[in-house]
C-alpha cells in the first residue's frame, strides 16, 4: 500500500463515488483482505438480481445511490486512507468523485 508521510494522518472518513461496482473491483477487495457479501433479490419485473457489497477494515459497507444515477459509494476510515488512495490510482476510470484531498496550506 501507499504509506502516508511520517506524522501525517487523516482524521475523517473517506468516501469514493464510482460509476459501477465491477467484478474487478470486487476481486481487488478480496485480494487486499476486504469484506464481500452478495445479496439476491427479484426486481419488479420478476428477474433475479445479484448485487455485491464491499467494505474494508471497520468501514461501512458500500451503498448504491437511490437517486437514479446508478452509482456506488465506497467508504473507508481515515486510518485506511492509504488503501483509498491506492484504489483511486488503480481504478481511476470508474471514479466520479471523492473527498480525499491533498492539503498544502500553511497554518499560521
Amino acid at each position: 500500500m501507499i504509506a502516508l508521510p511520517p506524522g501525517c494522518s487523516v482524521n475523517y472518513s473517506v468516501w469514493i463515488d464510482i460509476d459501477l461496482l465491477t467484478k474487478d473491483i470486487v476481486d481487488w477487495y478480496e485480494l487486499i483482505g476486504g469484506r464481500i457479501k452478495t445479496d439476491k433479490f427479484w426486481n419488479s419485473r420478476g428477474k433475479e438480481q445479484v448485487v455485491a457489497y464491499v467494505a474494508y477494515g471497520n468501514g461501512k459497507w458500500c451503498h448504491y445511490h437511490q437517486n437514479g444515477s446508478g452509482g456506488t459509494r465506497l467508504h473507508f476510515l481515515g486510518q485506511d486512507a492509504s488503501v483509498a488512495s491506492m484504489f483511486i490510482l488503480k481504478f481511476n476510470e470508474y471514479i466520479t468523485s471523492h473527498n480525499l484531498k491533498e492539503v498544502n496550506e500553511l497554518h499560521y
Side-chain angles (χ1 to χ4, degrees):
M1 299 296 155
I2 300 170
L4 294 173
C8 181
S9 64
V10 176
N11 296 325
Y12 57 90
S13 295
V14 177
W15 54 261
I16 301 172
D17 282 334
I18 58 175
D19 288 333
L20 180 65
L21 187 63
T22 63
K23 179 157 177 30
D24 291 338
I25 295 173
V26 173
D27 291 343
W28 182 78
Y29 264 89
E30 187 173 25
L31 178 71
I32 65 168
R35 298 175 289 152
I36 301 162
K37 69 178 178 179
T38 56
D39 185 23
K40 291 183 184 181
F41 61 93
W42 283 264
N43 64 11
S44 60
R45 297 184 179 187
K47 290 189 173 190
E48 183 179 29
Q49 300 288 321
V50 178
V51 178
Y53 294 92
V54 294
Y56 183 78
N58 292 328
K60 297 189 315 186
W61 290 96
C62 71
H63 71 270
Y64 292 84
H65 294 295
Q66 301 298 317
N67 60 3
S69 68
T72 306
R73 178 166 281 186
L74 306 174
H75 301 276
F76 297 90
L77 295 178
Q79 65 208 31
D80 300 323
S82 60
V83 177
S85 64
M86 178 74 129
F87 180 88
I88 290 171
L89 292 174
K90 183 161 180 62
F91 297 106
N92 194 26
E93 65 272 9
Y94 297 110
I95 297 173
T96 56
S97 65
H98 60 84
N99 72 337
L100 185 62
K101 308 239 184 298
E102 182 177 334
V103 178
N104 289 325
E105 298 177 0
L106 295 174
H107 298 284
Y108 295 101

